[in-house]
């Protein structure tokens, strides 16, 4: 798919980190970008910067997602591109310790369910609603594409934790493993609608999610990366997201973007 001003896109979690970098990269190509996020303040600032539109969306809330797509489509027309970046990374062991008594403590189920609700169900909710709209579009007029019948492209964000989740990542890894597992069946479901679906499994990236960790922890994480020996940059994620959107033969694939890191138990 050619990315230019004829294309509208929705980026969830677009107010920060990987989503923000992707929103900027799409806008730099002329794409009309709608940012779906809980963070109104940052989202509105970025939308103003890139000439896009901010939609106050909680991906766990059906009505809010429906309203977000309505607002985005009213502003820019039906999107051909969806990038799912909204997510959280909670940490808790399957059996932890009660801080006061030191006794074994079962995982907080509300936290487990929250990770699944945002990272997995929220991603699927946006995919399904966006693809239903994409299916109504005419195929894109890019070289060769009209023949293919391509109407839209979707990129999801899982994590290397989907394959090598660490201690304390049961909920996170389960949610991201779900995103990884559904990539192929969703691509198959959408084959007659002309919508391609791919997923990125980022390693460790320099975003607010990671910047919140103490400096020594960040350095230890960077030292675990074989090469290049550093954290990934959000722009590097954005470059792969755009590649997956632009490359018409990429479909149903999940790609690690991680400097060859394989996460150990901790
Ligand atoms: N940074 C990393 O190293 C890394 C590694 C692997 C995977 N990921 C994944 O990449 C994605 C983006 O992460 P990031 O590092 O940019 O994090 P981030 O915290 O910088 O950005 C995430 C954005 O999602 C938004 N969000 C959270 N819950 C939401 C909800 N219910 N509805 C709408 N928006 C919501 C937040 O407000 C925030 O703006 C996440 O899914 C994360 O799990 C990140």
């Amino acid at each position: 798919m050619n990315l230019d001003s004829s294309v509208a896109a929705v980026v969830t979690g677009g107010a920060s980190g990987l989503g923000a970098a992707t929103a900027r990269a799409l806008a730099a190509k002329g794409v009309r970008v709608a940012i779906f996020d809980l963070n109104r303040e940052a989202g509105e600032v970025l939308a103003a910067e890139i000439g896009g539109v901010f939609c106050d969306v909680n991906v766990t809330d059906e009505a809010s997602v429906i309203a977000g797509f309505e607002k985005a489509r009213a502003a820019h027309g039906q999107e051909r591109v969806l990038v799912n970046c909204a997510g959280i990374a909670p940490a808790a062991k399957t059996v932890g310790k009660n801080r006061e008594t030191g006794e074994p403590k079962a995982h907080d189920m509300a936290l487990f369910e929250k990770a699944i609700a945002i990272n997995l169900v929220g991603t699927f909710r946006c995919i399904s609603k966006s693809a239903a709209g994409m299916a109504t579009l005419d195929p894109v007029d890019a070289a060769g594409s009209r023949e293919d019948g391509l109407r839209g492209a979707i990129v999801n964000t899982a994590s290397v934790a989907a394959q090598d989740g660490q201690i304390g990542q049961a909920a996170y890894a389960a949610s991201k493993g779900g995103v990884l597992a559904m990539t192929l069946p969703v691509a198959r479901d959408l084959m007659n609608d002309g919508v391609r679906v791919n997923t990125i499994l980022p390693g460790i990236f320099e975003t607010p999610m990671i910047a919140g960790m103490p400096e020594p922890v960040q350095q230890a994480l960077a030292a675990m990366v074989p090469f290049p020996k550093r954290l990934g940059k959000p722009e590097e994620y954005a470059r792969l997201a755009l590649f997956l959107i632009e490359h018409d033969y990429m479909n149903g694939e999940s790609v690690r973007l991680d400097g060859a890191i394989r996460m150990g138990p901790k």
Side-chain angles (χ1 to χ4, degrees):
M1 183 187 302
N2 285 342
L3 287 174
D4 57 31
S5 59
S6 70
V7 175
V10 167
V11 181
T12 80
S16 175
L18 307 182
T22 307
R24 282 196 178 93
L26 287 166
K29 295 233 169 199
V31 173
R32 292 164 282 146
V33 180
I35 294 166
F36 282 17
D37 209 292
L38 286 176
N39 187 338
R40 171 181 282 277
E41 208 182 323
E44 280 180 344
V45 169
L46 182 59
E49 176 198 315
I50 64 174
V53 60
F54 173 72
C55 306
D56 196 350
V57 169
N58 180 347
V59 297
T60 67
D61 184 281
E62 181 79 3
S64 143
V65 171
I66 290 171
F69 280 114
E70 280 171 2
K71 182 176 175 185
R73 290 167 187 171
H76 294 155
Q78 168 63 49
E79 74 281 357
R80 283 198 187 275
V81 169
L82 169 71
V83 182
N84 281 304
C85 287
I88 57 163
K93 285 169 74 171
T94 303
V95 176
K97 260 199 191 116
N98 184 311
R99 281 223 182 99
E100 277 123 50
T101 64
E103 304 220 317
K105 183 172 155 263
H107 199 293
D108 174 355
M109 286 314 295
L111 185 65
F112 192 96
E113 287 177 9
K114 188 176 174 190
I116 301 291
I118 296 176
N119 296 353
L120 177 56
V121 184
T123 296
F124 185 72
R125 176 174 287 117
C126 293
I127 291 175
S128 175
K129 295 196 188 330
S130 188
M134 290 175 188
T136 66
L137 288 169
D138 285 336
V140 289
D141 191 12
S145 298
R146 198 172 269 288
E147 218 171 89
D148 291 339
L150 175 71
R151 293 188 172 81
I154 297 174
V155 175
N156 304 311
T157 313
S159 164
V160 292
Q163 293 177 328
D164 27 81
Q166 299 187 284
I167 287 170
Q169 287 193 318
Y172 186 64
S175 70
K176 297 300 191 177
V179 175
L180 173 66
M182 76 181 171
T183 301
L184 181 62
V186 170
R188 287 171 163 171
D189 280 348
L190 299 177
M191 61 184 242
N192 293 327
D193 299 303
V195 178
R196 296 185 290 101
V197 185
N198 294 289
T199 292
I200 300 175
L201 281 65
I204 309 164
F205 278 69
E206 265 173 40
T207 70
M209 195 178 260
I210 300 294
M213 298 175 178
E215 189 59 36
V217 175
Q218 289 186 49
Q219 279 170 12
L221 287 171
M224 278 163 42
V225 188
F227 185 79
K229 268 210 160 321
R230 59 171 173 80
L231 305 188
K233 297 182 193 304
E235 302 71 42
E236 292 174 317
Y237 168 95
R239 206 176 336 145
L240 180 55
L242 264 62
F243 170 82
L244 293 173
I245 295 163
E246 290 175 320
H247 199 308
D248 288 347
Y249 209 63
M250 285 298 297
N251 194 15
E253 186 54 275
S254 295
V255 186
R256 288 179 72 119
L257 183 67
D258 62 4
I261 200 170
R262 298 295 178 270
M263 308 288 276
K266 61 180 177 182

